[in-house]
Amino acid sequence: MASLSILIVGCGIAGPTLASFLLLADIPAAQKPRITILERESNQKAHLRGQNIDIRGAGVTIVRKLGLEAQIRASTTGEEGVRMVDESNRIWTENPADRTGTIQTGTSDIEILRGKLAELCWKNSQRISAEAQREGAAGIEYIFGDFLEDIQQHGSQVHVRFAKSGKTRSFDLLVGADGMQSRTRKMVWGEEGESIRLKRLGMFAGFFSIPREEHDDNWRRWFHAPGRRGIMLRPDGLGMRSTILMYVVNDKDPRFVDVATKGSGGIQEQKALLGEYFHGAGWECDRIIREMKATDDFYFDAVSQVKMDSWSKGRVVLLGDAGYCASPISGLGTTLAFSAAYKLAGYLQPYIKGESPDLSSAFTKYDEQMRPIVEDAQQLAPGMPHLINPETAWGIWTMRSLILALSYTRAFFYIIKLFGRILHLGPQAADYVTVEDFGFKDMTVWKVRDTAE
């Protein structure tokens, strides 16, 4: 049986992780799949900054299996915890990160920039590919700076056309790991269904970085302003810049949807709208607006979830945010990416080995095992994101006072742990994701040796 040819669209976190585990599977070298990873960005470090994300629960177990834990921990942002501040920068509450692993707080044990994590996953997949090639496997081919403009399925093949090179190629399997705004999803499932699949949460956010100033330390500062507005200022781990999440929860102003759907051509309008909403709000808003206008890593979108009845169609399957984005406010997006890539690689093994006659059984198992995890991740706390972002100054004062009281008595942490345990709700749900043993080669010892060299 000829080895399977797989095209993975997206070289973020889920894509390289899937490719890595497929090559680490207990499969003879000659039978291991021929993998191509396609990434639209031509600059392989284009997203080296990115927003702050975390790795929790099952995600930590999986990066450990990849031999990546030491590198990831050496690349964290060093965030100490969350401080809620007011317009005069007075600290109302201070909730530190839990380093014991007993509870998942707002700041996890591993906080890292998305771009840095993606880079580590990509480089690790290169090392795993080189090792597999030495053993006789085909390894991974990487294509940067191109994207698909056409996808057609005929029989046992997926035929694609690359937009920039104009080349046409055929694969046995196509995996769409290209994010919440997935072009793969739109082309295969149809653009007309996007309004149903993409569920906006009424929150619109800009992500960017600004030059770090002396008073920017390793604590995340979270500022609320009336009108359901908020800003988070966080460390980048390099001591050079501070990362910003600037958001508005708003269901009434149609301009937010308008600027969110214009893409890169509307960046100036996106910046202008956020600047308008935060002008004169106090705290460090003037500084942040000024630096936002000059930044070159600005990204704006509607905070959304992706909900689908099925993540596969024929020989195309969606992975990570492309199929079931839980939104940044879930705290579980990265754990979903790692868990799904790990599980999909495991469930594909019987088909790759020739033990299962078709892909449908692998996709069925993938759906059965991942859907409960996705449903937990997408189940936000009641009233979110509106509840934590009050409309009035009085509402903000009440919220701060309540959180202060709960934090002071430690009740806040017990509530988080209780909801996580009973309802699998919030970041604590990451601790309840199972990590099966698929017989993948353990990279821990090999990675330690490689790092020492």
Side-chain angles (χ1 to χ4, degrees):
M1 178 181 176
S3 60
L4 197 72
S5 61
I6 301 176
L7 173 62
I8 300 174
V9 182
C11 192
I13 296 166
T17 299
L18 172 64
S20 296
F21 280 118
L22 287 171
L23 293 183
L24 294 173
D26 184 19
I27 301 172
Q31 204 175 340
K32 288 186 177 180
R34 293 170 284 119
I35 303 171
T36 300
I37 295 182
L38 172 66
E39 171 56 48
R40 183 174 186 140
E41 291 292 339
S42 57
N43 183 348
Q44 297 172 1
K45 294 188 177 182
H47 296 303
L48 191 54
R49 295 177 187 169
Q51 69 267 32
N52 301 58
I53 58 176
D54 51 51
I55 307 174
R56 302 173 184 268
V60 179
T61 302
I62 292 169
V63 299
R64 190 173 297 138
K65 287 178 176 289
L66 285 170
L68 267 176
E69 185 180 14
Q71 287 188 48
I72 288 174
R73 288 190 182 277
S75 304
T76 59
T77 64
E79 185 171 292
E80 295 290 339
V82 184
R83 285 172 173 162
M84 192 170 288
V85 298
D86 63 17
E87 60 277 2
S88 299
N89 203 36
R90 289 175 298 201
I91 299 170
W92 279 71
T93 64
E94 180 176 290
N95 295 311
D98 180 75
R99 305 299 186 191
T100 67
T102 60
I103 187 170
Q104 299 286 357
T105 63
T107 295
S108 79
D109 189 31
I110 300 178
E111 296 280 346
I112 188 170
L113 296 186
R114 182 204 174 276
K116 184 59 180 178
L117 180 58
E119 181 188 45
L120 290 174
C121 290
W122 163 54
K123 288 186 174 180
N124 201 52
S125 72
Q126 287 182 304
R127 286 186 280 270
I128 291 172
S129 175
E131 182 79 2
Q133 287 176 318
R134 284 191 288 270
E135 296 173 352
I140 304 172
E141 170 195 14
Y142 301 87
I143 301 175
F144 288 91
D146 210 339
F147 59 95
L148 300 182
E149 65 176 2
D150 187 55
I151 301 172
Q152 298 293 331
Q153 298 192 64
H154 298 290
S156 62
Q157 293 281 289
V158 182
H159 307 287
V160 303
R161 185 170 64 250
F162 293 83
K164 293 188 177 180
S165 69
K167 293 180 179 179
T168 59
R169 291 177 62 177
S170 299
F171 297 88
D172 298 307
L173 170 65
L174 189 156
V175 181
D178 45 348
M180 185 183 75
Q181 299 292 355
S182 170
R183 284 176 54 86
T184 304
R185 184 183 69 238
K186 294 172 184 176
M187 285 192 286
V188 176
W189 274 262
E191 183 84 38
E192 64 280 359
E194 282 296 285
S195 60
I196 298 174
R197 293 187 287 265
L198 205 60
K199 306 290 185 182
R200 296 194 186 100
L201 300 179
M203 180 176 176
F204 300 85
F207 302 91
F208 54 98
S209 67
I210 65 175
R212 181 184 175 105
E213 295 189 356
E214 286 187 14
H215 63 280
D216 294 342
D217 55 21
N218 284 342
W219 283 83
R220 182 195 325 184
R221 287 185 286 157
W222 189 0
F223 167 69
H224 291 81
R228 304 193 191 281
R229 298 171 291 167
I231 298 177
M232 292 186 188
L233 186 152
R234 309 178 69 176
D236 73 342
L238 301 175
M240 299 297 293
R241 302 182 71 82
S242 293
T243 65
I244 301 294
L245 166 61
M246 191 176 194
Y247 65 87
V248 180
V249 180
N250 189 303
D251 297 312
K252 299 177 181 178
D253 191 338
R255 293 179 297 169
F256 282 105
V257 175
D258 290 342
V259 300
T261 55
K262 288 183 180 179
S264 59
I267 284 180
Q268 296 309 315
E269 291 184 13
Q270 294 165 354
K271 289 182 177 182
L273 184 57
L274 282 179
E276 174 188 326
Y277 264 79
F278 284 90
H279 177 73
W283 190 53
E284 298 198 31
C285 289
D286 289 346
R287 167 202 171 191
I288 292 170
I289 292 171
R290 181 181 68 252
E291 298 295 349
M292 175 184 67
K293 293 177 181 178
T295 191
D296 61 356
D297 62 357
F298 181 86
Y299 175 78
F300 178 92
D301 208 343
V303 175
S304 308
Q305 295 183 333
V306 176
K307 297 194 175 185
M308 302 177 67
D309 294 330
S310 175
W311 303 317
S312 63
K313 192 170 186 179
R315 289 180 165 265
V316 178
V317 63
L318 299 176
L319 178 65
D321 282 355
Y324 34 83
C325 176
S327 83
I329 61 177
S330 72
L332 291 168
T334 313
T335 296
L336 281 181
F338 279 122
S339 299
Y342 179 83
K343 290 178 184 294
L344 181 58
Y347 302 142
L348 283 171
Q349 282 191 83
Y351 179 74
I352 295 172
K353 291 180 179 179
E355 298 171 356
S356 177
D358 57 54
L359 280 168
S360 60
S361 58
F363 292 159
T364 298
K365 189 72 172 176
Y366 171 58
D367 190 288
E368 288 175 351
Q369 296 300 311
M370 279 303 301
R371 196 160 292 274
I373 300 170
V374 169
E375 289 174 352
D376 283 345
Q378 292 186 334
Q379 182 183 354
L380 303 178
M384 287 291 285
H386 295 74
L387 186 64
I388 199 68
N389 295 287
E391 178 67 36
T392 66
W394 171 251
I396 293 173
W397 183 88
T398 303
M399 176 196 67
R400 289 171 177 163
S401 300
L402 178 61
I403 294 178
L404 174 62
L406 291 174
S407 298
Y408 183 76
T409 61
R410 301 289 294 177
F412 184 68
F413 301 100
Y414 292 122
I415 290 172
I416 291 175
K417 196 166 186 176
L418 180 64
F419 273 90
R421 180 177 298 167
I422 297 176
L423 302 177
H424 289 189
L425 185 65
Q428 199 75 19
D431 292 335
Y432 301 95
V433 178
T434 58
V435 181
E436 304 101 311
D437 183 2
F438 291 115
F440 295 132
K441 181 179 179 181
D442 185 354
M443 297 303 294
T444 306
V445 176
W446 177 81
K447 192 68 196 77
V448 168
R449 184 179 68 249
D450 183 73
T451 301
E453 294 172 354

